[in-house]
Amino acid sequence: MAMGEAGPGPVRSGSQPRRLEETMRGRLGRECVYVPSCRLGLFVALRHWCPPGGRVLMSPVNDDVIFFVVLAAGLRPVQAPLNPLDASIDVGAVPDDVWGSLCAVLTTNLYGNPDPAPELRARCDASGIPLLEDAAHAIGSEVGGRPVGAWGDASVFSLSKHAGAQAGGILSVADPDLRAALREACDQLLTPRRAASELAYAVRPYAEAAVRGLGLRRAARAAMRLLGLAERDGIRMPLRPDALSRAAGPAPDLAAHDPWVRVDMHTYRLESGPLRLRRIRRRLGRLDEVLEAYREGTELLLATRWARPRDGSGAQPLFRVPLLVADRDAAIAALARRGIVVGYLYDPPLDDYAGEAFTDLSPAPGAARWFARHALPVDPLRAREAVDVLERSGARPAEPPKALTRRSAPPPDRARDPAPGGGSGPAPGGRSGPARPGTAKERGTSRG
């Protein structure tokens, strides 16, 4: 099979996936395909646009699951230099010879902070390669007058993050003629729905509420470890280099890389049943209201002394606001005592985590290392509580070394969001560190 699988999966049916696709098409102005997870949508996009053995520029401050999705697609990750203040790709610091070697660029839009899509679109057009957007954290963010996800040849969204559905994703495409082929490719990878999985999904919110209400988090974590269900002891999952090298042999092959790609979400390629689809639809229907709450919390957090300097543009509805603190471990511990779990940590950067055997190293790794060590991702929905805790704990802002900011920080007159219509590319409708408090899922290293 083209995707490295044994045979075709089930074919989706019913109107609910189509309704979800129509909702997202209305937001993005482009064709959309429902997928059970962001990671599966990304795999399908990478396989469609990139030849086996191709090289993909990506951020080293990213979820390790996404790194393994790139490997599963039979591609070589190339780690990009970053802006140390928000971990966006530093386009000007990517060497010319690297641009000439790439088959695609994959953005991250970390925590909802947009990568410089207009600049990346222009460079990709000049190089004749596709721009692929991972918008898992950025369903409500904008750049250059367009939604994040409306710049690339393809983009993938998670419906587990802002929407809070704990399942589902969207693959969107600039060329509407590709929609049917991509849907078929996704269907070939699906595994049949299971009644037990649907039931577990239905009762999960109530079980999680009971665990929180009864203060049983530690007991739940201990039970997970005892049953062998805890797949992370720290921020990064175990690399297992020998097994990973063996898996690379048949790549592109999703099945061979499944032990890494499924971490934190074993249902990532499971056909969505009616219970999941109904809950996802309800959650997506309230998305604008939720995004407004995220935007308000983001405004509050960006006004604190731990936030990166503002550029004068309005606040995005960030999924997490990366405050920059001198002693992140102490800040995490102080927040945990208040019941605030810090998740979505990506430390160390992927090139330090995986090494030269599995990725091309960043030509300027210092900014990624500094950001990964000091970023404290705070949930905007708990902004006031978090600010109170950090003030009381005496948390100090982290000051980036001047050697990092001289190159990467945008000059004062450079807007992060250019005027609408700026840049090139298709129009919207056009063609690991120590263990932290909380379970692996609470730490939230998965991008869906």
Side-chain angles (χ1 to χ4, degrees), residues 231-433:
E231 298 176 282
R232 299 178 187 267
D233 291 326
I235 297 171
R236 297 293 190 191
M237 73 175 81
L239 184 69
R240 291 176 288 153
D242 292 341
L244 188 59
S245 295
R246 291 192 295 271
D253 193 325
L254 187 59
H257 291 82
D258 186 71
W260 295 269
V261 176
R262 72 184 183 194
V263 167
D264 299 329
M265 185 182 283
H266 286 214
T267 59
Y268 75 97
R269 50 191 293 213
L270 185 71
E271 182 189 19
S272 298
L275 289 174
R276 292 176 197 268
L277 292 170
R278 279 198 295 270
R279 181 179 292 168
I280 292 169
R281 187 182 174 199
R282 287 197 304 270
R283 295 281 187 165
L284 194 57
R286 297 196 294 266
L287 181 59
D288 286 329
E289 176 185 343
V290 172
L291 289 175
E292 186 56 35
Y294 273 95
R295 185 176 284 105
E296 291 175 2
T298 298
E299 284 277 12
L300 192 156
L301 291 166
L302 290 181
T304 68
R305 58 197 176 98
W306 307 284
R308 63 182 173 88
R310 298 292 296 272
D311 57 18
S313 60
Q316 308 274 8
L318 300 187
F319 179 61
R320 294 291 184 268
V321 177
L323 302 181
L324 301 171
V325 296
D327 189 342
R328 186 177 63 197
D329 289 349
I332 288 174
L335 290 166
R337 290 192 290 271
R338 184 75 167 265
I340 301 174
V341 177
V342 173
Y344 299 88
L345 297 167
Y346 305 120
D347 184 20
L350 289 171
D351 39 3
D352 291 340
Y353 163 66
E356 290 183 272
F358 301 105
T359 185
D360 283 17
L361 307 184
S362 168
R369 288 169 179 161
W370 185 88
F371 183 90
R373 185 167 63 250
H374 293 290
L376 179 74
V378 176
D379 184 349
L381 301 184
R382 304 196 69 178
R384 295 189 184 280
E385 297 172 84
V387 170
D388 179 66
V389 170
L390 294 175
E391 289 287 5
R392 291 175 181 272
S393 70
R396 294 179 295 106
E399 296 293 338
K402 292 181 179 180
L404 296 179
T405 56
R406 274 198 297 268
R407 164 95 187 159
S408 299
D413 60 346
R414 173 188 156 191
R416 290 283 290 142
D417 294 333
S424 58
R431 126 163 164 66
S432 280

Side-chain angles (χ1 to χ4, degrees), residues 14-185:
S15 61
Q16 292 193 71
R18 288 195 294 273
R19 291 174 182 171
L20 295 170
E21 292 166 356
E22 290 167 2
T23 298
M24 286 301 292
R25 182 169 66 242
R27 301 187 72 92
L28 297 171
R30 62 199 309 186
E31 291 297 323
C32 295
V33 176
Y34 174 79
V35 289
S37 67
C38 177
R39 64 189 74 179
L40 184 66
L42 178 58
F43 178 82
V44 170
L46 289 167
R47 289 289 293 115
H48 180 87
W49 270 277
C50 301
R55 293 157 52 83
V56 178
L57 186 72
M58 63 182 296
S59 166
V61 181
N62 198 345
D63 185 14
D64 40 26
V65 165
I66 301 304
F67 176 78
F68 293 118
V69 169
V70 175
L71 293 179
L75 304 170
R76 174 77 173 181
V78 177
Q79 304 304 320
L82 304 182
N83 182 324
L85 299 180
D86 63 6
S88 61
I89 293 176
D90 187 350
V91 181
V94 179
D96 288 340
D97 61 333
V98 170
W99 284 113
S101 72
L102 300 174
C103 74
V105 172
L106 173 63
T107 66
T108 300
N109 304 294
L110 188 64
Y111 306 130
N113 281 311
D115 278 296
E119 298 170 49
L120 288 169
R121 180 76 262 175
R123 289 303 304 252
C124 287
D125 287 346
S127 301
I129 58 176
L131 174 65
L132 307 177
E133 296 180 83
D134 181 348
H137 290 175
I139 197 169
S141 295
E142 296 183 355
V143 61
R146 304 180 192 172
V148 168
W151 286 90
D153 297 82
S155 55
V156 288
F157 293 84
S158 170
L159 302 179
S160 296
K161 304 299 185 292
H162 287 87
Q166 300 302 321
I170 291 291
L171 168 61
S172 79
V173 290
D175 183 351
D177 292 338
L178 295 177
R179 180 173 179 266
L182 292 171
R183 170 176 278 186
E184 181 180 359

